[in-house]
Amino acid sequence: MLIQKLRLQHGWSQEELAVLSGLSARTIQRLERGHPASVESLKALASVFEIEFSRLKETDMTSGQQTPDYRADEALALARVRKIKGFYVDLATYVLVIGGLAIINISTSPGYWWVVWPAAGWGIGVVAHAMQVFDRFPFLNGEWERREVEKILGRKL
């Protein structure tokens, strides 16, 4: 988790870190999930991050548990950012595909706007995804999740 935190602080993607360190993107992914790292990999990452090798080595890379540097609120924020990123990827895909279909529609049958049907159908899904990511549903939001967890754990609210 320390590697992921350092990577995010520098604003790098996993692929960018892989290029900078000379490691594969798959190796970066495994290390961020807490898999053990070789000494060479840790040295390469320490060099890229410009920190002491011992700082990375002291981190328990084999436990898969969060390091003391990685707090619970940071983990929640990271999860939220990943959900938002997923939505933006879906939205960009929607815009590109529907835009392409619109071009095809105009060039092949300008008298009939069939592109409206896939745009409307997929658009409903994109709107639902946005409402879920940005907690706009009056139900099934973060507060609902908290209540359900408390109920399952048998705790009083």
Side-chain angles (χ1 to χ4, degrees):
M1 291 295 199
L2 177 61
I3 293 170
Q4 184 178 31
K5 182 178 178 181
L6 290 169
R7 177 179 62 80
L8 293 173
Q9 285 175 348
H10 284 82
W12 296 331
S13 68
Q14 289 178 336
E15 292 76 19
E16 290 170 325
L17 179 57
V19 169
L20 291 170
S21 65
L23 301 172
S24 70
R26 181 78 178 117
T27 299
I28 301 297
Q29 292 167 356
R30 281 195 319 267
L31 295 177
E32 286 188 358
R33 284 195 308 263
H35 290 262
S38 69
V39 173
E40 293 81 21
S41 296
L42 291 177
K43 284 183 180 178
L45 290 170
S47 174
V48 169
F49 290 129
E50 298 177 349
I51 61 173
E52 294 292 325
F53 167 72
S54 58
R55 182 167 173 216
L56 282 178
K57 190 176 178 187
E58 289 171 3
T59 306
D60 185 8
M61 300 294 286
T62 60
S63 71
Q65 296 178 353
Q66 290 181 348
T67 63
D69 291 337
Y70 201 74
R71 299 187 327 248
D73 59 341
E74 290 173 329
L76 290 173
L78 181 62
R80 177 142 174 83
V81 167
R82 283 187 177 150
K83 285 182 179 180
I84 293 170
K85 178 183 173 185
F87 166 71
Y88 286 134
V89 168
D90 288 349
L91 181 62
T93 304
Y94 171 80
V95 169
L96 290 173
V97 171
I98 295 301
L101 289 176
I103 291 170
I104 292 170
N105 185 178
I106 290 169
S107 63
T108 60
S109 55
Y112 176 64
W113 288 92
W114 54 261
V115 73
V116 171
W117 299 110
W122 194 355
I124 291 170
V126 169
V127 169
H129 190 184
M131 291 177 68
Q132 183 264 330
V133 167
F134 297 109
D135 286 333
R136 298 295 185 233
F137 279 119
F139 51 90
L140 304 179
N141 58 12
E143 181 61 28
W144 175 83
E145 288 177 2
R146 187 187 65 75
R147 286 193 313 265
E148 290 301 307
V149 167
E150 294 294 326
K151 196 183 307 180
I152 290 169
L153 293 175
R155 297 179 186 159
K156 299 279 183 184
L157 296 175

